[in-house]
Amino acid sequence: MGTGRDAGPASDGHVRVPSIYQLKPAFQGLLRPLVNALARGGVTANQVTVLAVVLCAAVGAALALVDDPRILLLLPVALFLRMALNAIDGMLAREHAQQSKLGAILNELGDVVGDAAMYLPLALRPGFPAAAIVVFVLIGVIVEMAGVIGVQIGASRRYDGFGKSDRASVVGAIGLVYGFGWAPLAWLAWPFWIATALGACAIATRARRALAEVRTKGDAA
């Protein structure tokens, strides 16, 4: 469900930006015994994918309806659980012969729908920077679209740059900091705008590297 990435010089001469996505193989290794048990129990990858979206929607609803700032502490917990569920569904699909076209659709749509369902309700909270949050979510959708477009033009699904896991880390940290009241709301727009700028760079990077990959394949042929 992704390509390995390492920080350092890329084949196109650009420097790769480190991402939390690089931790995925180690995290998958820790989850493998659980994944094997779920497979034996008849749990499917698609069921896990849908569960992750339901989790996001439930947390988003809580963020919209509960005024107590401590509700924000749900974010780091829920985002960690979602990361685990996303890893589990991929492992079930790849390692237990559950890959399907429906699964591919659910996986891509589930990521962007889950992000929107969990993050957009933050814009409804008093004092939160609504514009920054909405643009942050929108750029996130375009980042994932840029990754998928690689497949459409004959490249691999691109995961370069500031992606889903990185956005989740930012929102999780915000939930922790503001859930405990460690920073004033006046500062809150900055991490969203910075993450948005990094996302815009990721869009360009994914597009450029997808094109470079296609050219490399053409030269090899």
Side-chain angles (χ1 to χ4, degrees), residues 159-206:
Y159 293 90
D160 312 274
F162 195 85
K164 178 184 67 176
S165 299
D166 305 296
R167 294 192 300 273
S169 69
V170 170
V171 176
I174 286 171
L176 191 65
V177 169
Y178 287 91
F180 283 118
W182 290 340
L185 284 177
W187 296 357
L188 182 53
W190 284 104
F192 283 111
W193 287 125
I194 292 170
T196 296
L198 291 172
C201 292
I203 294 168
T205 298
R206 292 185 181 194

Side-chain angles (χ1 to χ4, degrees), residues 105-172:
I105 292 171
L106 290 175
N107 186 61
E108 294 294 349
L109 288 179
D111 283 346
V112 294
V113 170
D115 276 4
M118 191 184 297
Y119 303 159
L120 282 177
L122 291 171
L124 302 176
R125 297 189 65 83
F128 275 56
I133 292 167
V134 170
V135 175
F136 167 79
V137 172
L138 178 61
I139 287 292
V141 172
I142 300 173
V143 168
E144 300 313 313
M145 179 182 293
V148 173
I149 286 174
V151 178
Q152 187 176 5
I153 65 173
S156 60
R157 202 311 190 174
R158 303 302 309 184
Y159 293 90
D160 312 274
F162 195 85
K164 178 184 67 176
S165 299
D166 305 296
R167 294 192 300 273
S169 69
V170 170
V171 176

Side-chain angles (χ1 to χ4, degrees), residues 8-89:
S11 59
D12 58 5
H14 293 82
V15 174
R16 294 188 184 276
V17 177
S19 168
I20 289 174
Y21 187 86
Q22 293 172 254
L23 302 176
K24 188 174 181 179
F27 189 51
Q28 287 176 330
L30 294 174
L31 291 173
R32 187 158 282 109
L34 173 60
V35 171
N36 293 338
L38 291 173
R40 289 193 298 269
V43 175
T44 69
N46 290 351
Q47 289 170 343
V48 176
T49 303
V50 172
L51 177 60
V53 177
V54 171
L55 170 66
C56 292
V59 172
L63 293 171
L65 297 174
V66 179
D67 290 335
D68 191 330
R70 288 175 294 184
I71 196 67
L72 296 170
L73 295 174
L74 275 179
L75 283 169
V77 176
L79 287 165
F80 178 80
L81 290 175
R82 182 193 180 192
M83 180 173 64
L85 291 172
N86 286 343
I88 289 169
D89 72 1

